[in-house]
């Protein structure tokens, strides 16, 4: 039985996955509607939404439950978190699809679909569109509500480290098209991450983001932005209906803005990918 079916409490396969995906789309829609002057933000079930959605990175099922109980809107599985926390590897694209799926399944078995799960799938776990399609289908089966896929080369690096390299816009659009084509649930969210700012500059990053949406991406993750004005530029380029993620990772290129600052700049979702992991690691070091 798939993780999606196990979360259903008696429902058929895919039923609960759909509700998790729909919940995420409701969250995005509510915040975007509020941002564009559409009235008070609601997640579709009568709940009042925060000014910006907040997504907590979780290293394992227990920390995911903690984040859910603390009231975060979403949970996140970081590729770097899986690499270092679960495997003891640096974030250099070394982990496999199965490595990530192991952590995803453990989380979705215990966290209810009202708190959707976003998963980092790096560049898609392979050089072929078949590999990307397999990743999407497996993520849906495992109970994830969304993934983000990036435009770095296969031998990728952490988004806030130097010497990154990106593939062509055309190659990234082909990745997105493969991901969209593989969806077995139309509500499953495909988010495109671009690392182009550090490599090609803001103008290229903006053009890439627009091309990625045109290729079928539901949301955009512009990595390692250095100024609030850059978020405003992405919002202006993409229009009012495309969710934009802001990565609030500590020790990165992006200043740690407040939710209100990000909301004003046009971001939809604030991501805290490794905050708890770093705090846990510091505590463990003191104990040991």
């Amino acid at each position: 039985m798939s993780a999606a079916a196990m979360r259903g409490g008696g429902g058929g396969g895919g039923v609960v996955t759909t509700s998790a995906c729909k919940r995420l789309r409701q969250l995005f829609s509510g915040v975007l509607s509020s941002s564009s002057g559409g009235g008070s933000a609601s997640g579709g079930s009568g709940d009042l939404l925060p000014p910006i959605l907040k997504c907590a990175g979780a290293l394992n099922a227990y920390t995911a439950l903690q984040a859910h109980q603390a009231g975060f809107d979403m949970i996140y599985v970081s590729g770097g978190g899986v690499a270092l926390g679960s495997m003891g590897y640096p974030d250099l694209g070394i982990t496999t699809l199965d490595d990530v799926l192991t952590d995803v399944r453990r989380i979705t078995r215990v966290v209810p679909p009202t708190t959707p799960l976003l998963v980092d799938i790096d560049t898609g776990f392979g050089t072929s569109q078949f590999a990307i399609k397999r990743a999407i289908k497996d993520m849906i089966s495992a109970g994830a509500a969304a993934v983000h896929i990036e435009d770095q080369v296969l031998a990728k690096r952490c988004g806030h480290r130097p010497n990154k390299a990106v593939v062509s816009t055309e190659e990234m659009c082909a990745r997105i098209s493969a991901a969209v084509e593989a969806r077995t649930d139309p509500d499953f969210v495909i988010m495109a991450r671009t690392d182009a700012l550090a490599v090609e500059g803001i103008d290229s990053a903006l053009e890439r983001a627009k091309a990625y949406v045109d290729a079928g991406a539901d949301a955009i993750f512009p990595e390692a932005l250095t100024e609030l004005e850059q978020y405003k530029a992405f919002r202006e380029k993409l229009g009012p209906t495309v969710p934009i993620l802001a990565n609030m990772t500590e020790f990165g290129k992006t200043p740690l803005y407040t939710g209100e600052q990000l909301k004003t700049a046009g971001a939809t979702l604030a991501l805290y990918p490794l905050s708890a992991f770093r705090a846990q690691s510091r505590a463990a070091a003191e104990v040991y």
Side-chain angles (χ1 to χ4, degrees):
M1 181 180 291
S2 70
M6 290 177 68
R7 294 168 78 197
V15 173
V16 177
T17 304
T18 300
S19 72
C21 299
K22 284 185 176 179
R23 173 60 177 164
L24 180 53
R25 287 187 178 269
Q26 289 169 351
L27 289 170
F28 282 155
S29 178
V31 170
L32 289 167
S33 175
S34 175
S35 300
S36 60
S40 61
S42 172
S45 59
D47 52 330
L48 191 65
L49 295 178
I52 189 168
L53 299 174
K54 294 187 177 181
C55 182
L59 186 64
N60 51 40
Y62 179 63
T63 51
L65 272 176
Q66 288 181 301
H68 164 69
Q69 291 165 357
F72 277 88
D73 303 292
M74 298 169 57
I75 304 295
Y76 178 67
V77 170
S78 159
V82 172
L84 186 56
S86 296
M87 309 298 296
Y89 297 153
D91 185 16
L92 295 173
I94 300 172
T95 51
T96 68
L97 172 59
D98 286 340
D99 293 333
V100 177
L101 282 169
T102 295
D103 287 344
V104 168
R105 292 186 183 112
R106 288 171 175 167
I107 289 170
T108 58
R109 284 189 184 112
V110 297
V111 176
T114 51
T115 306
L117 180 67
L118 168 65
V119 183
D120 176 3
I121 63 167
D122 292 334
T123 59
F125 299 109
T127 58
S128 70
Q129 292 191 15
F130 175 81
I132 294 171
K133 291 179 178 181
R134 178 195 171 196
I136 297 301
K137 291 177 180 178
D138 284 354
M139 287 294 163
I140 293 173
S141 179
V147 297
H148 68 72
I149 185 169
E150 65 198 60
D151 57 7
Q152 284 200 54
V153 297
L154 187 63
K156 58 143 302 180
R157 297 175 61 84
C158 167
H160 292 257
R161 300 291 294 170
N163 303 318
K164 296 188 294 184
V166 293
V167 299
S168 68
T169 300
E170 292 74 20
E171 183 172 340
M172 178 59 177
C173 286
R175 291 178 182 177
I176 295 167
S177 296
V180 172
E181 184 180 334
R183 274 194 292 218
T184 55
D185 182 340
D187 289 315
F188 186 77
V189 173
I190 306 294
M191 179 181 291
R193 170 178 141 178
T194 179
D195 286 75
L197 175 67
V199 181
E200 300 175 345
I202 185 65
D203 290 339
S204 175
L206 291 169
E207 291 300 326
R208 280 174 174 267
K210 182 62 169 62
Y212 299 166
V213 171
D214 291 343
D218 301 298
I220 293 294
F221 175 174
E223 178 65 300
L225 302 193
T226 57
E227 304 171 10
L228 273 176
E229 292 298 320
Q230 292 169 341
Y231 289 104
K232 293 180 180 179
F234 275 93
R235 175 54 64 208
E236 182 177 348
K237 184 71 173 181
L238 299 175
T241 62
V242 178
I244 296 174
L245 181 149
N247 186 6
M248 295 291 99
T249 188
E250 299 83 4
F251 316 111
K253 300 290 186 182
T254 307
L256 298 179
Y257 300 116
T258 66
E260 190 57 41
Q261 286 175 308
L262 291 170
K263 177 74 170 180
T264 301
T268 314
L269 168 66
L271 172 64
Y272 306 91
L274 295 169
S275 303
F277 179 34
R278 288 173 174 136
Q280 290 170 325
S281 298
R282 176 66 178 271
E286 293 179 357
V287 169
Y288 296 151

